[in-house]
Amino acid sequence: MCKGLAALPHSCLERAKEIKIKLGILLQKPDSAVDLVIPYNEKPEKPAKTQKPSLDEALQWRDSLDKLLQNNYGLASFKSFLKSEFSEENLEFWLACEDYKKIKSPAKMAEKAKKIYEEFIQTEAPKEVNIDHFTKDITMKSLVEPSLSSFDVAQKRIYALMEKDSLPRFVRSEFYQELIK
C-alpha cells in the first residue's frame, strides 16, 4: 500500500497521477453526450469488421456473457463500453488468459505467464484485477511451474465478476441499447 507522498514508489505515483487525471475529466462539464462516453485523448474503438449482429443475437447477450464474448462485434462493443468506464482490466485479463491457453512452447508460456502476472495479478500491477488473496495465492503457486491451467482459478473469478457486474451495466448502457433498437 502507498504511504506518505515522499515514500511513494514510482508505479504508485504514476497510478495516482492517472487517477487524478481521470477524476478531473469526469468532473468537467461535457460539451456533448459523446464526452460522457469517450475518454479524453482516445478515439472510440470501432467494433471489429464483422457485420452488425441480428436483433436476436444481440438480445441473447443479456443472458450470456459467453455468447457476447464469442461474437466479434459484441466483444468490441463490450470492450468499448468498459473502456468508457475505465474498467477494461477484467476483460483484458480474461482475453490474455485465453491467448495464454493457446501457447505450446514452455519457454513462451513462462514468458507470457510472467507478463500476465506483472500486468494483472501482482499487488500494484498497472491493470490489477480484483481477486481475493486465496485466488492470488493459488495463482502464484501455480506459476512456479507454468501450465495451461495456471490462471484458470483467477480467470473463472474474473469471468464471474464480469457476468455479475459488468454485463448488467453493459446491457443498461447506450452501447447496448443502440444495438437493440
Side-chain angles (χ1 to χ4, degrees):
M1 206 71 202
C2 304
K3 293 186 175 117
L5 195 54
L8 286 176
H10 180 68
S11 64
C12 189
L13 184 58
E14 290 299 315
R15 191 169 175 117
K17 285 179 183 176
E18 182 181 314
I19 291 169
K20 181 182 175 189
I21 290 168
K22 288 177 182 177
L23 285 173
I25 290 160
L26 291 173
L27 293 173
Q28 290 176 1
K29 185 175 178 181
D31 294 331
S32 68
V34 173
D35 290 337
L36 290 171
V37 177
I38 303 168
Y40 83 105
N41 210 11
E42 286 186 22
K43 294 179 181 172
E45 192 168 301
K46 292 181 181 171
K49 291 185 179 180
T50 57
Q51 92 183 68
K52 190 174 177 180
S54 68
L55 178 60
D56 285 343
E57 245 182 322
L59 288 172
Q60 290 177 6
W61 301 344
R62 292 184 299 194
D63 305 314
S64 174
L65 182 57
D66 273 335
K67 288 185 179 173
L68 172 66
L69 296 175
Q70 289 168 4
N71 181 290
N72 287 338
Y73 198 98
L75 177 60
S77 296
F78 189 50
K79 191 173 190 175
S80 292
F81 164 72
L82 292 173
K83 278 188 176 198
S84 77
E85 291 197 329
F86 304 103
S87 62
E88 67 270 20
E89 67 280 346
N90 286 344
L91 180 59
E92 288 180 8
F93 171 72
W94 188 85
L95 291 168
C97 291
E98 289 298 293
D99 287 343
Y100 175 80
K101 291 177 188 177
K102 297 172 187 168
I103 298 172
K104 303 282 188 255
S105 156
K108 286 184 180 177
M109 189 179 294
E111 183 181 318
K112 180 73 170 178
K114 182 179 188 286
K115 184 178 178 189
I116 291 172
Y117 174 79
E118 290 173 350
E119 189 171 356
F120 298 104
I121 305 287
Q122 77 180 9
T123 305
E124 300 297 326
K127 297 178 182 180
E128 186 176 1
V129 291
N130 186 10
I131 54 174
D132 57 273
H133 289 292
F134 178 75
T135 303
K136 193 177 274 198
D137 289 344
I138 288 174
T139 304
M140 286 170 50
K141 286 176 184 164
S142 74
L143 292 175
V144 172
E145 288 186 40
S147 70
L148 292 177
S149 62
S150 290
F151 293 102
D152 283 359
V153 174
Q155 188 183 20
K156 284 176 184 160
R157 292 271 199 275
I158 292 303
Y159 182 92
L161 273 174
M162 290 193 301
E163 194 170 44
K164 188 180 98 184
D165 183 51
S166 305
L167 180 61
R169 286 195 331 269
F170 172 68
V171 168
R172 290 189 303 268
S173 76
E174 284 297 317
F175 285 85
Y176 182 75
Q177 294 302 317
E178 286 295 317
L179 281 174
I180 60 169
K181 278 187 179 178

